[in-house]
Amino acid sequence: MQKAGKINDEDEFDAVLIIGSAIDTAFISQILRLQKKDLKLLATGWAMKEELLLNGGMNVNGMIIPANFDFDNKNDKYLDFSSKYVKKFGKNPDFASVSGFETMQILLNAILNSEEKVPIALKKRITTEKRYDGLQGWIVIDENGDTSKETVILEIVEDNFQRIK
């Protein structure tokens, strides 16, 4: 049995999927690239923050990330939000800031349009309406409160997240 994190030459696999925060993904990428430079790396949207680029350096170049957030989205609502966000916080918004804003907009809409201001009534209002116009496109919420948004495929190229699909 081999130790976790050690790759042998005889190991056969096409890629490694890293499920972790931006910092953890950057760290794991560095360790894996030291062992096998041409290893294909995949990550989750959770890691898609500027910290991944800053801490991962060249080790994260070529990493593929399926996500429901696109840094280069051209939707007017997103561009307006992004401009205000940069002015206020001095950095670009990421998936967490956009998701947080959209969540609060949906909740505010439910509060303003519900007669009862109790959690069960608000949930019913949110899941009854189902479709919300988010910053980067439509957000669909099912009866369980689970969301779906358009998925984009990003690749890290020269320290930037670039949409490839």
Side-chain angles (χ1 to χ4, degrees), residues 46-76:
W46 182 26
M48 195 178 62
K49 299 183 87 167
E50 287 184 22
E51 289 85 357
L52 175 62
L53 303 176
L54 294 172
N55 293 288
M58 66 182 183
N59 295 302
V60 295
N61 277 327
M63 180 178 282
I64 302 295
I65 304 173
N68 59 15
F69 173 79
D70 182 2
F71 283 96
D72 295 323
N73 187 282
K74 302 299 183 211
N75 186 315
D76 288 339

Side-chain angles (χ1 to χ4, degrees), residues 119-129:
I120 199 79
L122 296 176
K123 179 184 178 189
K124 184 176 181 184
R125 176 70 186 191
I126 290 168
T127 58
T128 299
E129 194 157 325

Side-chain angles (χ1 to χ4, degrees), residues 147-160:
T147 62
S148 62
K149 298 168 81 173
E150 178 187 9
T151 299
V152 297
I153 307 297
L154 303 169
E155 180 177 6
I156 299 177
V157 178
E158 297 179 8
D159 300 325
N160 289 298

Side-chain angles (χ1 to χ4, degrees), residues 17-127:
L17 170 63
I18 304 169
I19 301 172
S21 68
I23 299 295
D24 291 341
T25 299
F27 178 68
I28 293 167
S29 298
Q30 290 173 4
I31 291 169
L32 292 172
R33 293 279 194 204
L34 284 172
Q35 296 176 53
K36 193 170 183 178
K37 288 193 181 304
D38 62 344
L39 182 62
K40 190 67 168 169
L41 297 177
L42 308 165
T44 63
W46 182 26
M48 195 178 62
K49 299 183 87 167
E50 287 184 22
E51 289 85 357
L52 175 62
L53 303 176
L54 294 172
N55 293 288
M58 66 182 183
N59 295 302
V60 295
N61 277 327
M63 180 178 282
I64 302 295
I65 304 173
N68 59 15
F69 173 79
D70 182 2
F71 283 96
D72 295 323
N73 187 282
K74 302 299 183 211
N75 186 315
D76 288 339
K77 288 173 71 172
Y78 173 70
L79 294 174
D80 182 54
F81 172 81
S82 181
S83 173
K84 291 174 182 174
Y85 189 92
V86 169
K87 192 178 290 184
K88 182 167 184 149
F89 298 106
K91 66 179 187 171
N92 291 320
D94 57 25
F95 78 93
S97 52
V98 168
S99 293
F101 178 82
E102 290 173 332
T103 300
M104 292 310 300
Q105 292 296 103
I106 291 169
L107 180 59
L108 178 61
N109 178 61
I111 291 169
L112 294 175
N113 294 299
S114 294
E115 289 186 29
E116 292 184 73
K117 311 300 186 208
V118 296
I120 199 79
L122 296 176
K123 179 184 178 189
K124 184 176 181 184
R125 176 70 186 191
I126 290 168
T127 58

Side-chain angles (χ1 to χ4, degrees), residues 133-150:
D133 191 13
L135 294 176
Q136 294 194 353
W138 289 103
I139 301 166
V140 179
I141 302 177
D142 68 17
E143 63 278 354
N144 298 313
D146 295 324
T147 62
S148 62
K149 298 168 81 173
E150 178 187 9

